[in-house]
Amino acid sequence: MESPHGAAVAAEDFGLEGPRGWVFRHVTFSAEPGSLVAIEGPSGSGRTCLLLALTGRMRTTEGHARTGGPRLPGQAAAVRGIAALGPVPGVSELDPAFTVAEHLNERALLQGRYGASLRALLRPRAERRAVAAARVDKALEAAGLDLATLPKAGRTSVRDLERLEALRLSVALALIGEPRLLAVDDTDLKLRDAERDRAWELLRSVAEAGTTVLAVCSEAPKGALVVRTAPVTEESATEEETADA
C-alpha cells in the first residue's frame, strides 16, 4: 500500500544491456514507502545506472520495476514526476561558481514556476514568495544544513563547501520539490568514517520522515535494505544463459 508521501519501489529481474554488454542484470527487490535502500557494489557494477533507471531517467531492456505505482520502463515520465535526484555526477551536479543562496533561489523559482498548481500560480506575488521561502527553510532543516555555520552564510560558494556540506545542499535542493523518492549517488565517496556516519544519519532521517531514499554506496549501513550489484561479464552471462537453457 502506498503512503501519502513515500513511494514503494520494487523490481523484478530488472536489467539493462548496453552496446558493450550487460550494465546490470537480475535485480529483484521490494521496498516499502519510507525505506532507506542502499544500492551497494563496486565501482563499475552498474550502481548509478540502476539508480537512474529506478527514477525513470534511463530505459532498461529486461524485466520491470515499479516506483510509486507507475511501471518501468513504460511510465518513466510519471516516475520522474515523483522522484528527485540528489548529487549524481554528470547529471545533477552543483555548479561550483554558484553560491549556496543562488542554488536555493534558483530551485525555489523553478519549483514555483513549473512544479506548482495553477491555483498556486494565481496567488499574490508576496504570498508565493512566502510559500517559497517556507519551502526552502523546511528543506534546509530536513537536510541539516544551517546557513549560519557556513563561512559566508548563504553567500558561500559551492566550491568552498566541504563534501558533507555539499551533500546536504544537494539533498535540500531535491527536497524543495517535496518528492516521494530521493536518489543519491556516491553517498560514501571521499568521506571519513565520522562523516560517513553523519551522511547516513541524514538519509535515514529523510526516510523516517516519509520520503523513500535510494542511495548508491560502496558499503551499506546497518538497517538499510541492501540491493547489491556486481559486474556482469560476458563469461558469467553465458553461464547464466546456459543454466537457464
Side-chain angles (χ1 to χ4, degrees):
M1 178 181 296
E2 286 292 326
S3 76
H5 188 60
V9 185
E12 184 175 346
D13 206 24
F14 210 39
L16 171 62
E17 186 176 19
R20 299 182 180 180
W22 289 98
V23 180
F24 61 84
R25 200 178 188 190
H26 301 319
V27 174
T28 299
F29 72 97
S30 179
E32 296 295 321
S35 296
L36 173 59
V37 182
I39 301 176
E40 180 188 81
S43 178
S45 63
R47 303 175 305 175
T48 301
C49 291
L50 176 57
L51 186 81
L52 293 174
L54 290 169
T55 55
R57 290 164 172 86
M58 186 170 285
R59 188 174 182 85
T60 51
T61 54
E62 182 177 74
H64 65 272
R66 288 190 181 275
T67 298
R71 185 182 175 95
L72 292 166
Q75 296 176 293
V79 171
R80 291 194 296 271
I82 63 172
L85 296 181
V88 179
V91 180
S92 58
E93 295 176 300
L94 298 173
D95 188 329
F98 273 32
T99 66
V100 172
E102 286 171 339
H103 266 296
L104 293 167
N105 292 337
E106 179 186 56
R107 186 62 58 90
L109 178 63
L110 291 174
Q111 178 63 32
R113 180 171 298 176
Y114 300 109
S117 65
L118 177 60
R119 182 178 180 181
L121 290 173
L122 294 176
R123 292 173 178 170
R125 180 177 297 181
E127 184 177 344
R128 295 200 306 270
R129 287 178 176 173
V131 170
R135 192 185 287 262
V136 169
D137 289 343
K138 180 180 178 182
L140 287 172
E141 182 178 1
L145 182 60
D146 183 355
L147 300 187
T149 65
L150 300 180
K152 297 181 180 179
R155 295 181 293 105
T156 303
S157 295
V158 164
R159 64 168 58 92
D160 295 327
L161 294 177
E162 299 291 338
R163 166 79 171 119
L164 185 57
E165 292 171 338
L167 174 62
R168 291 188 187 278
L169 175 58
S170 291
V171 169
L173 293 171
L175 293 180
I176 286 175
E178 298 181 347
R180 295 174 59 193
L181 183 143
L182 168 67
V184 178
D185 195 17
D186 289 338
T187 302
D188 51 7
L189 181 68
K190 297 181 180 179
L191 291 180
R192 296 184 292 271
D193 289 345
E195 293 174 328
R196 185 179 297 113
D197 290 343
R198 289 197 291 274
W200 285 116
E201 286 173 6
L202 161 62
L203 298 183
R204 187 174 286 108
S205 70
V206 172
E208 289 174 349
T211 302
T212 305
V213 177
L214 299 179
V216 166
C217 62
S218 57
E219 184 177 353
K222 292 181 179 179
L225 190 160
V226 182
V227 177
R228 292 185 173 86
T229 59
V232 181
T233 64
E234 186 173 325
E235 180 180 350
S236 65
T238 301
E239 291 174 352
E240 289 169 354
E241 290 166 1
T242 302
D244 290 341

